[in-house]
Amino acid sequence: MSPKIRKTKPPRLHLADLVGEGPPVVMLHGIASSSVTFQNVIPLLEGTHRCIAVDLLGFGESPIPEDGEYTIGEHAEAIHQTLKKLKLREPAILIGHSMGALIAARLAATYPKKISKVVLVSPPIYLAPAQLTSRRDRQIMDFYLRAYHYLRENPRFTLRAARTVERFLSIPKAMDINERTWVPFIKSLEHSIESQTTINDIAATKAPIEIVYGNFDQFHSEGVLKIVGRMHGVRVHRVRGSDHLIGKRLARAVAVAAVSVRG
């Protein structure tokens, strides 16, 4: 069933960090998380840039609208409306982590004049399994999609597992799946990650795109990233010794990708 189209104006999101001076860098976290995602990135950029970390719709300290469907478009429009209030004077560098990377791609494709560069960190860019050539890539993609469906359909298991996993994360409170965020979580999972159009959004983006991911990332598709890496304007950076979260090593690569100038 297709998600409903929101008829009300998107609520204003919570801006968790507004630090530094210089060209704006807008940071979008992933599903079931918050702006704490970027605790290792902000110190590397705030000396030269204005860092703006946003809590996505339904997560962190942002509103949870009762009629929200949490599509990519809905997430992106809420961010756009929030950033309009800041009256930024120049295009922003956009850094998106995990699901935030998918939202960043949609924002860049929709509002090209407002974005100067896009950095997609640990992006779960997926295709239908049948679209991949390698049998192994098809099997991995099928596993991800089946796993996400299971998580949505089994709340007791998912909530219990989330509490366990959260205790072992290198970034405290980087996972925020609980009874309060359950609906935003499952709807974002279904409508933004499982039903994504990120390949098309990347193709429609005029700004340069840097993809940064760790070789131990638990949620990426190597087959899809190879396809994306051949697209116009895209560069892919594989960081050894890093997983899905933005640890210090991955954070350094993200900061470099954000400020680098292409020849």
Side-chain angles (χ1 to χ4, degrees), residues 5-234:
I5 298 176
R6 281 178 56 85
K7 296 182 180 180
T8 57
K9 188 176 181 179
R12 188 172 182 178
L13 304 179
H14 176 247
L15 300 177
D17 288 287
L18 281 166
V19 297
E21 297 291 337
V25 180
V26 176
M27 304 180 188
L28 311 176
H29 64 80
I31 192 170
S33 190
S34 70
S35 53
V36 301
T37 292
F38 298 102
Q39 68 175 33
N40 293 319
V41 178
I42 291 175
L44 301 177
L45 293 174
E46 64 181 338
T48 55
H49 291 74
R50 185 185 185 190
C51 297
I52 305 164
V54 183
D55 280 342
L56 298 184
L57 189 69
F59 300 105
E61 296 183 37
S62 283
I64 303 178
E66 292 184 1
D67 61 342
E69 292 297 328
Y70 301 91
T71 63
I72 286 285
E74 190 173 308
H75 277 297
E77 192 57 29
I79 294 162
H80 172 64
Q81 293 298 329
T82 300
L83 294 178
K84 281 175 64 175
K85 303 291 184 180
L86 296 180
K87 301 184 185 302
L88 300 178
R89 297 181 179 180
E90 57 186 303
I93 299 168
L94 200 54
I95 302 178
H97 174 253
S98 194
M99 186 182 77
L102 311 187
I103 299 169
R106 173 61 63 86
L107 275 168
T110 307
Y111 302 102
K113 293 183 179 181
K114 297 182 181 297
I115 308 299
S116 61
K117 177 183 275 191
V118 186
V119 183
L120 309 181
V121 189
S122 307
I125 305 173
Y126 298 152
L127 292 169
Q131 294 178 281
L132 297 169
T133 303
S134 164
R135 179 182 178 185
R136 182 174 183 273
D137 290 336
R138 292 197 299 270
Q139 289 174 334
I140 291 173
M141 188 60 60
D142 183 67
F143 170 79
Y144 285 152
L145 297 177
R146 288 178 183 271
Y148 295 154
H149 182 268
Y150 182 85
L151 292 177
R152 288 193 287 106
E153 295 297 317
N154 295 273
R156 291 182 61 185
F157 167 83
T158 303
L159 291 169
R160 185 171 63 251
R163 288 191 292 269
T164 300
V165 170
E166 199 280 330
R167 293 199 294 266
F168 295 96
L169 296 179
S170 58
I171 299 176
K173 298 183 179 180
M175 179 176 289
D176 185 26
I177 305 176
N178 51 51
E179 287 79 5
R180 174 180 173 272
T181 62
W182 177 252
V183 171
F185 167 67
I186 61 169
K187 286 191 174 183
S188 292
L189 186 58
E190 181 178 10
H191 299 157
S192 290
I193 295 180
E194 296 175 66
S195 304
Q196 61 176 264
T197 58
T198 306
I199 293 286
N200 289 338
D201 291 333
I202 289 174
T205 296
K206 297 180 179 179
I209 297 175
E210 309 281 345
I211 294 180
V212 184
Y213 76 104
N215 64 315
F216 295 136
D217 188 336
Q218 305 92 324
F219 302 103
H220 80 291
S221 166
E222 202 71 37
V224 174
L225 287 183
K226 288 179 181 178
I227 294 172
V228 176
R230 293 193 290 267
M231 296 175 70
H232 178 72
V234 177

